[in-house]
Amino acid sequence: MTLEIISAHEIKFTGEVLSVTLPGELGSFTILKNHAALISVLNKGAVKYTTPDGVENYIDIDGGIADVNDNVVSVCVY
């Protein structure tokens, strides 16, 4: 699955991941491969993701929007 985290000023991350946990408006939720399509508002918090080598990473965000479709997770952050 591909994760793209972008802001108006830069690409913060793009690459293959095993999972992504996002700070949703109703609580954190995790995206895995073959997840159903969705769009969600994100609150302030951390985008946590695990790369194929098993390394867990995170990026703090002030909010944003996530789009999941066809194993691509696009996260636009503030």
Side-chain angles (χ1 to χ4, degrees):
M1 160 172 79
T2 302
L3 172 63
E4 303 168 334
I5 304 174
I6 61 171
S7 73
H9 305 290
E10 66 180 318
I11 297 172
K12 295 183 175 282
F13 176 83
T14 184
E16 291 298 310
V17 297
L18 299 176
S19 66
V20 182
T21 301
L22 300 164
E25 196 169 44
L26 298 176
S28 294
F29 61 98
T30 300
I31 306 294
L32 300 172
K33 186 176 180 181
N34 297 323
H35 195 286
L38 70 80
I39 296 175
S40 178
V41 174
L42 303 177
N43 284 342
K44 184 174 183 171
V47 175
K48 299 175 186 175
Y49 58 94
T50 304
T51 54
D53 58 3
V55 176
E56 293 183 4
N57 301 280
Y58 72 94
I59 296 175
D60 288 322
I61 64 169
D62 289 326
I65 297 173
D67 175 69
V68 179
N69 196 15
D70 271 342
N71 287 317
V72 176
V73 181
S74 300
V75 180
C76 299
V77 299
Y78 307 138

